[in-house]
């Protein structure tokens, strides 16, 4: 059963804590992405990775960090430097980011709430 | 930055009616994609239209692209209550390293 999984589904963070969101895919896709979605809004790109051991900042990378040590995994850490982290976080992957058919496949999302 | 802007932001129709959503963008593109999101879930890819295509169909979905006006429309025919969701357009600008840029979405409610 191929797809993208994200865990946990819900996450609560105290102020000052770092938390890590998991994203795993078994689609053999090279590219992976992290987006943030605020209520009633569209998606904003946090980080993306087109190949293992390489990643690039998106539009709103401040306060976030990522790693890409394996093709299947692209974890996102929300650090204490992120001042307003409460949001819905979506992970995605694509097989052909440089080609004409670069549709993305999304995970179910993680809802992060700061207490 | 959001390149695509959907219109309307919200749409409420009766089951059986057609729903039309529009997307405008600012720069030249390689392709434009439409996605659907059910409340609290991830996005699902619906359809991709390339910059050299003008119209594309998939089941009850019809997408048009007018590159001269930098706009696209998504038509859902004979809507069903299960079509209730948010719909997003995403553009692949031809100078952005193939990073998709998503619009703010249209929230569609189909009343039974």
């Amino acid at each position: 059963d191929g797809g993208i999984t994200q865990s946990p589904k819900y996450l609560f963070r105290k102020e000052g804590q770092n938390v890590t969101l998991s994203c795993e895919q078994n689609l053999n896709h090279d590219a992976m992405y992290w987006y943030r979605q605020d209520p009633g809004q569209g998606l904003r790109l946090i980080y993306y990775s087109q190949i293992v051991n390489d990643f690039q900042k998106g539009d709103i990378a401040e306060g976030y960090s990522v790693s890409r040590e394996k093709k299947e995994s692209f974890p996102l850490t929300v650090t204490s430097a992120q001042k307003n982290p409460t949001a819905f976080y979506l992970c995605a992957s694509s097989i052909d980011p440089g080609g004409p058919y670069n549709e993305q496949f999304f995970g179910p999302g993680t809802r992060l709430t700061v207490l | 930055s959001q390149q695509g802007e959907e219109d309307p932001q919200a749409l409420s129709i009766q089951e059986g009616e057609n729903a039309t959503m529009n997307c405008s963008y600012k720069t030249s593109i390689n392709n434009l994609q439409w996605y659907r999101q059910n409340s609290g879930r991830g996005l699902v890819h619906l359809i991709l239209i390339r910059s050299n295509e003008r119209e594309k169909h998939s089941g009850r979905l019809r997408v048009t692209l007018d590159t001269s006006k930098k706009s696209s429309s998504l038509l859902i025919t004979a809507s069903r209550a299960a079509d209730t969701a948010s719909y997003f357009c995403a553009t692949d600008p031809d100078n952005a390293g193939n990073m998709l840029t998503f619009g703010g979405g249209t929230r569609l409610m189909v009343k039974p």
Side-chain angles (χ1 to χ4, degrees):
Chain A
D1 189 21
I4 301 179
T5 58
Q6 291 185 241
S7 63
K9 186 172 182 179
Y10 299 97
L11 186 58
F12 299 91
R13 191 195 91 169
K14 294 181 181 178
E15 289 203 23
Q17 279 184 336
N18 291 356
V19 290
T20 297
L21 284 59
S22 169
C23 177
E24 304 278 332
Q25 55 100 359
N26 61 5
L27 300 169
N28 200 33
H29 287 174
D30 285 317
M32 297 186 74
Y33 314 82
W34 273 106
Y35 294 93
R36 170 181 171 139
Q37 186 178 33
D38 291 286
Q41 303 295 313
L43 278 63
R44 291 185 290 168
L45 182 64
I46 304 173
Y47 268 98
Y48 64 98
S49 168
Q50 295 193 330
I51 197 168
V52 174
N53 292 322
D54 185 58
F55 48 83
Q56 306 295 329
K57 292 181 179 180
D59 297 323
I60 56 164
E62 185 175 351
Y64 300 96
S65 66
V66 293
S67 63
R68 187 82 187 279
E69 297 176 0
K70 298 186 298 182
K71 187 175 186 178
E72 304 79 22
S73 180
F74 191 39
L76 173 74
T77 297
V78 184
T79 75
S80 57
Q82 170 51 236
K83 298 306 178 188
N84 185 22
T86 295
F88 189 51
Y89 290 87
L90 287 160
C91 180
S93 70
S94 66
I95 192 170
D96 186 23
Y101 297 102
N102 56 348
E103 56 263 48
Q104 294 185 8
F105 295 79
F106 283 80
T110 293
R111 188 167 300 280
L112 173 64
T113 303
V114 174
L115 301 174
Chain B
S1 60
Q2 290 190 341
Q3 145 124 291
E5 294 293 336
E6 285 90 339
D7 171 59
Q9 291 188 330
L11 180 61
S12 181
I13 59 174
Q14 292 294 134
E15 208 166 26
E17 294 179 341
N18 294 343
T20 300
M21 289 158 266
N22 303 296
C23 172
S24 60
Y25 58 92
K26 298 174 183 174
T27 65
S28 58
I29 59 173
N30 292 317
N31 65 60
L32 185 144
Q33 303 175 30
W34 285 92
Y35 289 79
R36 166 193 169 125
Q37 183 182 34
N38 284 44
S39 181
R41 308 290 292 274
L43 276 69
V44 175
H45 180 263
L46 295 176
I47 198 164
L48 181 154
I49 187 165
R50 297 179 65 180
S51 59
N52 61 354
E53 297 175 314
R54 292 295 166 258
E55 186 170 314
K56 208 162 182 182
H57 297 253
S58 177
R60 291 184 297 112
L61 305 181
R62 172 178 169 252
V63 169
T64 62
L65 179 64
D66 187 335
T67 53
S68 66
K69 295 182 179 178
K70 292 187 170 55
S71 68
S72 173
S73 68
L74 171 67
L75 169 67
I76 303 174
T77 60
S79 63
R80 306 165 181 169
D83 294 328
T84 294
S86 291
Y87 293 82
F88 295 90
C89 70
T91 52
D92 172 19
D94 64 9
N95 63 348
N98 299 109
M99 292 302 109
L100 294 183
T101 304
F102 287 82
T106 292
R107 286 168 289 287
L108 173 65
M109 175 174 288
V110 182
K111 300 176 183 177

